[in-house]
Amino acid sequence: MSFENAPPRGEELIAEINRLRRERNAVILAHYYQSPDIQDIADFIGDSLQLSQLAAETDADVIAFCGVKFMADTAKILSPEKTVVLPDMDAGCSLEDSCPPEKFKAFREAHPDHIALTYINCSTEVKALSDVIVTSSSAETILEQIPKDQKIIFGPDRHLGGYLSRKFNREMLLWPGVCIVHEAFSETELLKLKEQYPDAPIAAHPECPPTIVDHADYVGSTSGILKFAKDFDGDTLIVATEPHIMHQMEKALPEKTFIGAPGADGNCNCNICPYMALNTMEKLYVALRDLEPRIEIEEELRVKAKKSLDAMLELAKGTVGQGDLGRVISKADG
Ligand code: 13P
Ligand code: SF4
């Protein structure tokens, strides 16, 4: 980048992002795992479901998506007429990487009597091969509307799938993917922390393995964990998810104490999502200035992927009866 093109710094950087946001008629969407400066400048912060809903509804011309690529792809699938920029195109996700579309297609073909209920943390190609997308905040509501005798493939997160399978006593064929961030929490260190703070409840994201989730007083999505942080009786909470979410807790609830669950080394640095961390304020500024890096999706693929996302948006309302499922799911070509 040449000197004239270098992003400004400090207050000027914030002022320039604000100016570009107005000039471009842009909305800045951010996930709770983004750094505090990005969370503070965003128009909206949310979990994967809320950000999808906002992307589908906004009347902005540009969506600057501060999150990972599958989230920005989802915004483009739902709002193709908008320009969607992602500050760093390398902001991927280990779950998406674990599920190559051609292997997922072969898995589906080997189980033609199963529907594919797929976590939103996957590629657009895998969404196009799926029947219904779920997020961690919508998965339980959606699963409850699927008839008990319907066989299910769940991918790519085996921990979220395993958690749902145990909680609802439903067998599911699980794709073997994991989130490298939630996988890094240590049960031994968590129990040591619990000994230090015996009255502090534990809130965990369902991407955590059973060794963590089984000790949790609350299991839920990022927005669910935030709600639990507001509602629980007590003054200290142990948080087993990506630590940047604690920025919102500390802002809203300064009287309470939030402690990140530890990794194997006894601190929680290994639980910072390395993909989310690629987005910075400087890259957000460049994305708004140049409208690059920009998400582009081939139209035929987008339309196929949108079906499973539309099914999610409708089923997440919780009002579709089991007998009406066929109307909502038009089966993907597995
Ligand atoms: P939420 O939908 O709970 O925000 O989770 C997204 C995610 O990627 C968690 O790792
Ligand atoms: Fe993917 Fe895990 Fe990062 Fe979420 S925290 S974006 S699941 S790698």
Side-chain angles (χ1 to χ4, degrees):
M1 196 178 296
S2 72
F3 181 69
E4 312 86 79
N5 256 347
R9 292 174 180 208
E11 288 301 313
E12 204 192 326
L13 176 61
I14 293 172
E16 279 297 288
I17 291 174
N18 286 330
R19 179 183 67 77
L20 286 166
R21 161 171 38 201
R22 280 192 303 277
E23 273 181 26
R24 301 281 192 208
N25 186 26
V27 65
I28 302 174
L29 302 184
H31 189 264
Y32 292 120
Y33 295 166
Q34 290 289 276
S35 57
D37 49 0
I38 292 181
Q39 290 189 36
D40 288 346
I41 206 161
D43 294 290
F44 299 102
I45 319 168
D47 70 12
S48 308
L49 178 66
Q50 293 164 332
L51 293 173
S52 311
Q53 289 163 334
L54 286 163
E57 286 160 14
T58 178
D59 52 14
D61 296 320
V62 174
I63 299 174
F65 209 113
C66 299
V68 289
K69 184 164 179 294
F70 76 80
M71 296 178 178
D73 287 341
T74 299
K76 185 70 182 175
I77 294 167
L78 294 171
S79 284
E81 69 293 351
K82 301 197 192 320
T83 300
V84 179
V85 289
L86 176 65
D88 192 315
M89 218 31 125
D90 290 332
C93 171
S94 66
L95 283 167
E96 173 172 351
D97 293 347
S98 77
C99 193
E102 61 289 357
K103 289 202 175 143
F104 187 73
K105 188 167 192 286
F107 188 57
R108 284 224 62 179
E109 282 166 359
H111 305 284
D113 52 346
H114 288 58
I115 62 164
L117 203 60
T118 306
Y119 195 29
I120 197 165
N121 300 38
C122 64
S123 64
T124 302
E125 287 79 1
V126 167
K127 287 184 177 72
L129 291 164
S130 300
D131 298 305
V132 186
I133 299 302
V134 302
T135 65
S136 46
S137 59
S138 60
E140 298 192 11
T141 308
I142 291 175
L143 189 57
E144 280 175 317
Q145 293 166 89
I146 297 177
K148 292 268 182 299
D149 58 352
Q150 173 61 60
K151 294 180 180 166
I152 295 173
I153 285 173
F154 189 94
D157 185 3
R158 72 183 164 95
H159 292 321
L160 174 59
Y163 170 74
L164 294 168
S165 173
R166 292 191 300 281
K167 179 160 178 178
F168 291 89
N169 194 22
R170 284 191 77 147
E171 237 179 79
M172 299 196 277
L173 286 178
L174 303 180
W175 186 266
V178 295
C179 160
I180 50 164
V181 172
H182 289 85
E183 185 81 345
F185 290 114
S186 154
E187 182 181 26
T188 313
E189 295 298 327
L190 179 66
L191 293 178
K192 279 194 216 162
L193 190 65
K194 185 73 187 171
E195 264 175 42
Q196 260 180 283
Y197 300 94
D199 297 330
I202 298 172
H205 197 280
E207 287 175 13
C208 292
T211 48
I212 301 299
V213 157
D214 287 351
H215 299 291
D217 300 275
Y218 174 80
V219 181
S221 65
T222 50
S223 58
I225 292 175
L226 272 170
K227 185 170 180 324
F228 182 80
K230 288 184 185 128
D231 295 346
F232 82 100
D233 286 328
D235 53 20
T236 305
L237 177 67
I238 298 173
V239 181
T241 191
E242 214 272 4
H244 285 116
I245 195 176
M246 288 189 283
H247 178 57
Q248 291 303 318
M249 297 178 186
E250 283 157 1
K251 266 172 78 168
L253 304 154
E255 70 287 1
K256 294 187 181 179
T257 303
F258 300 102
I259 306 173
D265 60 355
N267 75 49
C268 60
N269 284 344
C270 50
N271 301 114
I272 289 177
C273 175
Y275 306 102
M276 293 270 183
L278 290 173
N279 293 325
T280 61
M281 289 284 277
E282 288 76 11
K283 290 179 195 170
L284 170 61
Y285 160 81
V286 172
L288 283 167
R289 184 191 67 194
D290 301 349
L291 296 182
E292 296 285 350
R294 196 182 293 203
I295 303 285
E296 304 285 3
I297 300 173
E298 190 269 313
E299 183 60 9
E300 198 184 333
L301 174 64
R302 186 193 70 80
V303 170
K304 280 188 186 169
K306 187 169 181 291
K307 282 188 190 169
S308 58
L309 279 166
D310 284 342
M312 170 188 81
L313 292 172
E314 179 146 12
L315 286 162
K317 295 176 195 156
T319 51
V320 177
Q322 293 203 348
D324 211 14
L325 193 70
R327 178 181 61 77
V328 180
I329 299 180
S330 52
K331 220 165 176 319
D333 344 310

